[in-house]
Amino acid sequence: MKKAYFGGGCFWCVEAVFQRIKGVNKVISGYAGGKIKNPTYREICTGTTGHAEIVEIEYDQSIISYDDLLLVFFNTHDPTTLNQQGNDKGTQYRSIIFYTEELERKLAESFINNEAVRIWDGNITTALEKLETFYPAENYHQDYYNNHQSQGYCTFIIKPKVDKLNERFKSLLK
């Protein structure tokens, strides 16, 4: 199994999307890219720790490629808004890809420069950073959409992203 690390706004949204992709074994919401160890959600929300809300995606590369993960990522969040996804504002909601090996960095950089610019009409703000440490979020953040589908944020923010995934990527769904 390989792992990919993406941040595209609230981690609940990104988690809900990637949980539905065949070849994805597990998705964990968490934090990366900041300056303190073992951050809490309350600390992240201040915007002062430097962390981004991200997901760790464990996947089988014989079933789903890193390029296909990138395709889904760039089609299910807006990478043109700096430090923001909809009403979620702050550096913790930035569009970011954390890579663990040079090949991932090269693939992501190429995708941004060649594919993402065609998908989105605008400047791509997605950052690329080497992953130092991934911190899983608190248990109540895990599997959030699946456990709270009738909650307001899930209904109005996450469900449209899942619907978009279902419409555009039928061949990649479980």
Side-chain angles (χ1 to χ4, degrees), residues 84-173:
Q84 178 180 350
Q85 286 296 300
N87 291 331
D88 293 329
K89 296 178 183 176
T91 57
Q92 67 270 32
Y93 300 115
R94 65 191 179 271
S95 177
I96 190 163
I97 297 169
F98 287 95
Y99 60 91
T100 59
E101 57 189 51
E102 188 61 18
L103 177 60
E104 289 173 346
R105 186 196 64 75
K106 288 179 180 178
L107 289 170
E109 188 174 69
S110 176
F111 195 96
I112 289 168
N113 293 330
N114 298 299
E115 304 297 325
V117 294
R118 285 188 233 145
I119 296 168
W120 291 92
D121 186 25
N123 185 39
I124 304 299
T125 64
T126 305
L128 280 172
E129 288 183 25
K130 183 159 181 54
L131 181 72
E132 297 299 325
T133 305
F134 172 76
Y135 299 100
E138 296 82 351
N139 286 338
Y140 67 91
H141 287 297
Q142 307 304 328
D143 205 25
Y144 195 85
Y145 177 71
N146 292 333
N147 292 324
H148 302 91
Q149 289 188 24
S150 61
Q151 189 257 8
Y153 189 87
C154 293
T155 301
F156 297 107
I157 305 299
I158 303 173
K159 186 178 182 313
K161 292 175 183 283
V162 171
D163 290 346
K164 188 179 203 180
L165 172 76
N166 291 337
E167 291 169 18
R168 292 187 181 179
F169 299 102
K170 287 179 174 63
S171 66
L172 298 179
L173 298 176

Side-chain angles (χ1 to χ4, degrees), residues 6-19 27 53-55 57 73 77 161:
F6 298 149
C10 175
F11 47 33
W12 298 340
C13 298
V14 184
E15 176 192 63
V17 165
F18 284 98
Q19 286 176 325
V27 183
E53 288 191 13
I54 70 165
V55 296
I57 303 163
F73 175 66
H77 86 290
K161 292 175 183 283

Side-chain angles (χ1 to χ4, degrees), residues 31 34-36 39-53 89-94:
Y31 317 108
K35 59 188 178 211
I36 66 170
T40 65
Y41 182 68
R42 177 170 277 161
E43 290 169 321
I44 297 297
C45 286
T46 67
T48 61
T49 69
H51 292 87
E53 288 191 13
K89 296 178 183 176
T91 57
Q92 67 270 32
Y93 300 115
R94 65 191 179 271

